[in-house]
Amino acid sequence: MGKVSLPLEGGCQCGSLRYSLSAPPLMIYCCHCANCQKIAGSAFVVSATVIETAFAFIKGAPAKTEWTSDAGNERYGWFCPDCGCRIAHGQTPSINILSLRAGTFDDTSWVEPVGHIWTKSAQDWFRFDEALLTCEGQPTDYGPYIKTYAAQERF
Ligand SMILES: [Zn+2]
Ligand SMILES: [Zn+2]
């Protein structure tokens, strides 16, 4: 696979909301927490961790919703006010990091999770790849995820 070029672009299902990302993600993983399952209407979410200042909406204005995460953090989510598609999550106060829904990139062919978090709330039928990283809950140290992701050398 060739190198991915920046900036990356993506958007919501209907196209009202478009974004640009000017720096590579720090890591990509699957989150199986109860909130992600509910938000995605699915078994897990594929999340790309990106630097907040490298991310910008270039079309449309997102709507915002807020909640307390399974780990107890004050989180917010940006979504399209027209189609409801969730784009990214951030934290208050800011930790300069956003969790971008990796499925919203225009090109997802390079997206490959390095591991799974919140495996304790994963659906029983899900089979984990033993070669990937796993964490029962919220990792206290994302170092191994970041290191493994960097080793993919996608950018
Ligand atoms: Zn939309
Ligand atoms: Zn989650």
Side-chain angles (χ1 to χ4, degrees), residues 12-16 80 82-83:
C12 67
Q13 184 190 11
C14 78
S16 290
C80 173
D82 295 329
C83 72

Side-chain angles (χ1 to χ4, degrees), residues 6 44 48 50 62 76 95 119 131 143-144 150:
L6 295 166
F44 60 90
V50 303
Y76 64 84
I95 50 171
T119 59

Side-chain angles (χ1 to χ4, degrees), residues 36-104:
C36 281
Q37 293 185 15
K38 182 68 84 178
I39 293 161
S42 185
F44 60 90
V45 153
V46 183
S47 176
T49 305
V50 303
I51 297 162
E52 200 167 345
T53 49
F55 176 90
F57 284 105
I58 52 175
K59 182 182 173 226
K64 192 178 184 185
T65 183
E66 295 169 291
W67 71 97
T68 302
S69 77
D70 289 11
N73 298 315
E74 295 309 311
R75 305 280 292 168
Y76 64 84
W78 280 323
F79 62 96
C80 173
D82 295 329
C83 72
C85 179
R86 195 67 73 88
I87 300 291
H89 294 170
Q91 195 159 307
T92 308
S94 170
I95 50 171
N96 195 29
I97 287 246
L98 296 174
S99 295
L100 186 58
R101 297 329 183 68
T104 64

Side-chain angles (χ1 to χ4, degrees), residues 7-25:
L8 288 161
E9 287 194 10
C12 67
Q13 184 190 11
C14 78
S16 290
L17 212 49
R18 298 280 305 157
Y19 66 78
S20 173
L21 180 68
S22 61

